[in-house]
Structure formats: C-alpha cells, structure tokens
Amino acid sequence: MQLTVLGTSPSFPNPGKATSGYLLEESDTCLLVDCGHGVTSVLLSVLDPRQLTGIVISHMHADHFLDLVPLHYAYRFQYRLERPLPLWLPPDGVAILDRVIDVLGLDARMFADMFTVREYVPGEPLILGSVRINFAPTTHFIDAYGMRFSGEEGAGHIGYSSDTAPDERVVGLLRGVELALVEATEVRYAEPGEGKGHLTARLAGELAREAGVERLLLVHYPESMGEEIAAEASKGFGKAAELARQGRSYTV
Ligand SMILES: [Zn+2]
Ligand SMILES: [Zn+2]
C-alpha cells in the first residue's frame, strides 16, 4: 500500500502548501482521503484525477473537504469522468455539502452527475476495492473520524488520526500499524483546556507510542514550527518522529 502526502498544513495553509489530503493506492484502488483547500492543485500535479476510484472525507471542516469544489470544476471542464466517482462523507456530511453547493450557487445536478455521494457508517468497515477502512470517532470540535486502512488480505496497515485531542478510541484504531499519520497541530497548548480538539506534538508522539505504531508521520502542523514539533513528538514517541512532506510517498 502506498500513501502520498498531498498536504500537511493545519487549518491555515503553510506558505505555498495545501491543507489535509492523502492519496492511498493499493493494486487497482486509488483513494483520495480528505480534500482540504489547496489539495486539488497538488493532486493534479501527481496524477490524472480520473484515476481516482473513490474519495473519503474524515470530517466536514474546510481544511478537510472544501477543495471538493475546485475538484468538481476540474472534472467538469477538463477531466470528464465516464461514471460518477464514489464520494464518502461522514454522517450528516451530505446535508453540509448540500448547503455549500447551494450557497455557492453550484449546479447540484452537475455535482450529482460527478459524484455518488454517500455517508459511511463509522461502526462498520468500508470496503473500497482492495482497501478496507475502519473508523473511530475522535475528540474534535465537530464529529470527526480517524481511519485505519488495511490492504488486501490484511497486508499493510496505515492509520490516520484525522483531527483529534487525546483519545483512547484513536489509540485503539491505530494499534500496531506500520505507518501512522497523526496530527500535531500545536507545539504546546497556549492555555490549559485549549486542546479540546487537537494534539500537541508531544501528545501526538505519546498517542503513537501507546498505540505501538512502527513509524510516526506528523501531519496537520504549522511548518514554521516544524523542527520543534518533530523534536517534541520524538520525545513523546520514544524514537524519531518524522514530519510528513507534501508530495512524498510512503510504502508499507
Ligand atoms: Zn484540520
Ligand atoms: Zn477539524
């Protein structure tokens, strides 16, 4: 299974970079996981978007889904799809997307022709081609879901925390994965209690250590603080944590 990082920014873009987006490839399956602002541009620089076999969104914050709008224009004006692409949203995601389509004056029918929009059931695994996805709710400001991707016949596991504060359910989801993408939004909380929806770098490392993951990739981090974030996360992890790099691919 191969993962390509399309963006590593937190809710605001690091200069010249994209927010959350990942490409997950396993044999004939090619999934876009999250599509935050800036992601479509990076996606188009690494593949023809007609190669995607599905899109899965972890939660309905702008830095995780809003580039579905420019992506839909890319399909509309340049990369015509032969059949609609499955788009999997979290529970209640369809109503939120409908409101976005409405308020931006997009052509809802055109959008529906492009995407088969459905909501996943977080308590059930989602099988998309050669990839199995298990979900776990996270602790965030809105409903959000971490994901665990398993390759064919259980070979290769990649975990993704989505956005979360410390949460045992996320630890359980990421248990023993070869590669874990864990958000490290803050170097440290400015005030106690501020961290209700995100992890500090140290806590990201501790979460990964508790889950027993082999390799920790830090995502959703402010690049200006990158060195400090990697150092803090490594202390929590007990071994070297790495900053995920936009455009780089990782194989398990
Ligand atoms: Zn986010
Ligand atoms: Zn969020």
Side-chain angles (χ1 to χ4, degrees):
M1 199 159 36
Q2 178 172 284
L3 177 122
T4 302
V5 176
L6 303 177
T8 62
S9 308
S11 54
F12 66 94
N14 292 319
K17 301 281 179 63
T19 56
S20 294
Y22 310 95
L23 199 60
L24 192 82
E25 295 169 89
E26 165 81 353
S27 50
D28 57 349
T29 303
C30 182
L31 303 176
L32 174 62
V33 178
D34 279 350
C35 190
H37 36 85
V39 166
T40 295
S41 169
V42 186
L43 176 74
L44 298 182
S45 74
V46 299
L47 54 60
D48 182 320
R50 287 170 291 204
Q51 290 173 247
L52 290 180
T53 58
I55 303 173
V56 189
I57 302 295
S58 71
H59 67 295
M60 301 302 282
H61 269 161
D63 58 320
H64 295 258
F65 88 96
L66 205 54
D67 248 33
L68 290 173
V69 174
L71 181 59
H72 121 280
Y73 282 123
Y75 285 127
R76 179 168 169 179
F77 294 121
Q78 188 159 337
Y79 306 94
R80 288 289 172 94
L81 289 164
E82 285 181 14
R83 65 186 74 86
L85 186 63
L87 167 59
W88 291 91
L89 302 179
D92 301 325
V94 170
I96 295 168
L97 184 63
D98 283 347
R99 290 215 298 277
V100 170
I101 289 169
D102 183 46
V103 80
L104 293 181
L106 305 179
D107 185 331
R109 207 172 46 194
M110 184 83 73
F111 213 90
D113 286 346
M114 244 163 250
F115 301 111
T116 307
V117 188
R118 277 173 283 186
E119 294 176 356
Y120 51 80
V121 179
E124 297 174 3
L126 179 64
I127 314 282
L128 299 178
S130 305
V131 177
R132 173 192 178 98
I133 308 175
N134 289 87
F135 300 92
T138 77
T139 300
H140 194 43
F141 306 111
I142 61 170
D143 289 343
Y145 299 90
M147 301 180 207
R148 181 189 180 103
F149 307 98
S150 306
E152 276 181 324
E153 297 174 8
H157 298 96
I158 296 175
Y160 170 42
S161 70
S162 181
D163 287 3
T164 189
D167 190 317
E168 285 301 317
R169 297 169 298 184
V170 179
V171 172
L173 182 74
L174 269 47
R175 181 85 57 207
V177 296
E178 289 98 319
L179 182 71
L181 284 69
V182 180
E183 71 123 293
T185 306
E186 318 262 357
V187 177
R188 62 189 62 82
Y189 297 140
E191 295 169 24
E194 188 198 345
K196 289 194 176 105
H198 288 294
L199 294 168
T200 63
R202 175 75 72 111
L203 289 171
E206 289 175 2
L207 187 149
R209 174 157 63 177
E210 198 183 340
V213 313
E214 287 179 22
R215 188 174 178 189
L216 170 57
L217 269 189
L218 303 165
V219 298
H220 205 277
Y221 63 88
E223 209 161 67
S224 60
M225 313 293 276
E227 274 183 33
E228 203 174 345
I229 281 177
E232 279 292 306
S234 298
K235 284 182 206 162
F237 190 35
K239 53 185 175 178
E242 303 163 57
L243 296 171
R245 299 292 186 190
Q246 182 174 306
R248 193 171 295 177
S249 295
Y250 305 82
T251 304
V252 300

